[in-house]
Amino acid sequence: MGHSFLVLNGPNLNLLGTRQPEVYGSTTLADIEDTCTAKATQMNVAVSFLQSNHEGILIDAIHAARGVHDGIILNAGAYTHTSIAIMDAIKSVSLPVVELHLSNIHQREEFRHLSYISKVAIGQICGFGAAGYPLAMDALAGYLGTTET
Ligand code: DQA
């Protein structure tokens, strides 16, 4: 087995499928996790999932990923735009993080244009809906491949 990825989803993403489908699509979080699990098998990587509506739980998960996972795919939801604490947690564990959003946050309200996660992520994928998750897995694998010693 190769690398291990953590797919971490923040607030309100448990409601995917019914939450503003015109913005976020009709795919549920369970569907996304199934897609990522199937892709992980193809890629020969391990993947784990966590969703929380609580900032501190997301921070705890980032800390706990140290030494367990090789990288994180993070959709921090609205905490993207507010949480210096999540940004600091990412910086503290020095794991590569791919920032992910279903919607194109740059085309939306001004307050969504600022991302604290972008300041510490290796890159950002946004605007591709649920398809962004498997794209992020490829991005992380590519990054880890190029940084392997
Ligand atoms: C989101 C974009 C955020 O601005 C928003 O608060 C979310 C979802 C996205 O996936 O498009 O909760 O991260």
Side-chain angles (χ1 to χ4, degrees), residues 33-127:
E33 293 183 358
D34 286 349
T35 302
C36 290
T37 301
K39 185 167 175 69
T41 306
Q42 282 170 17
M43 294 172 73
N44 195 34
V45 300
V47 66
S48 303
F49 304 97
L50 184 84
Q51 186 277 329
S52 178
N53 295 321
H54 303 277
E55 190 174 17
I57 291 177
L58 295 169
I59 292 167
D60 287 344
I62 292 165
H63 293 177
R66 217 174 3 175
V68 175
H69 299 292
D70 300 295
I72 302 174
I73 294 161
L74 173 63
N75 185 347
Y79 287 138
T80 303
H81 319 297
T82 61
S83 183
I84 296 168
I86 293 177
M87 177 185 75
D88 282 351
I90 293 167
K91 235 180 162 167
S92 306
V93 299
S94 9
L95 279 172
V97 170
V98 177
E99 176 182 4
L100 181 88
H101 304 284
L102 293 123
S103 63
N104 183 342
I105 56 172
H106 306 287
Q107 285 179 349
R108 299 182 64 196
E109 303 95 320
E110 193 79 33
F111 61 82
R112 295 187 204 275
H113 298 178
L114 168 71
S115 167
Y116 286 102
I117 308 302
S118 285
K119 298 182 188 299
V120 289
I122 56 172
Q124 182 193 67
I125 293 173
C126 74

